[in-house]
Amino acid sequence: QSLVDYFAQVHMHTSKACRDFYNKHRRHVHITSKSFLSLLDQYKRLYAAKLKALNTEEGEMQSGIAKLVEAEEVVNGMSSELAGKEARLAQSQAKIEELLERVHENTRYAE
């Protein structure tokens, strides 16, 4: 309702401005029902363009969020895989240290 009232006020204000223009410059400027309908049509086109832009941005945001969620899942999978590999790495390092200790013992024994 407030939008309807706003457009009515704009039309009334424009009508007054036309009268003031005539009083100041003695030139007629007519405001008609067609002028009011033209204002409504311009508003409707502007509203449609802005709505389309917002819907496009919303789609892009939804796509970005979906990609972030997918990336989070991939990172979580890689983290669990890394944890498993770190455990195997720790076991391998323990075996290597044991082998190095044996090599040192054998080297001492050989000397």
Side-chain angles (χ1 to χ4, degrees):
Q1 182 64 27
S2 63
L3 187 61
V4 172
D5 293 337
Y6 173 75
F7 278 115
Q9 286 178 353
V10 167
H11 187 69
M12 300 287 275
H13 179 73
T14 305
S15 180
K16 182 184 177 305
C18 289
R19 283 192 304 273
D20 293 344
F21 184 80
Y22 175 75
N23 291 335
K24 186 175 182 180
H25 299 288
R26 295 290 179 218
R27 294 191 61 179
H28 285 283
V29 177
H30 299 284
I31 183 162
T32 63
S33 299
K34 185 176 179 180
S35 302
F36 182 70
L37 293 174
S38 176
L39 173 67
L40 292 177
D41 185 56
Q42 283 182 322
Y43 176 79
K44 191 168 70 171
R45 281 188 274 133
L46 178 65
Y47 182 82
K50 294 291 184 181
L51 183 63
K52 183 179 178 182
L54 283 174
N55 286 337
T56 300
E57 284 184 29
E58 179 186 17
E60 290 172 354
M61 293 290 263
Q62 292 296 336
S63 174
I65 289 171
K67 288 183 181 185
L68 286 173
V69 167
E70 181 182 332
E72 181 183 22
E73 291 171 359
V74 169
V75 167
N76 288 339
M78 293 172 93
S79 294
S80 63
E81 184 180 328
L82 178 63
K85 288 184 178 183
E86 284 178 340
R88 281 186 272 157
L89 179 63
Q91 290 173 351
S92 296
Q93 284 179 336
K95 287 180 183 177
I96 289 172
E97 288 177 14
E98 183 181 319
L99 286 173
L100 282 175
E101 187 64 33
R102 285 186 198 167
V103 168
H104 286 299
E105 287 178 18
N106 290 339
T107 307
R108 283 187 212 137
Y109 180 74
E111 292 177 352

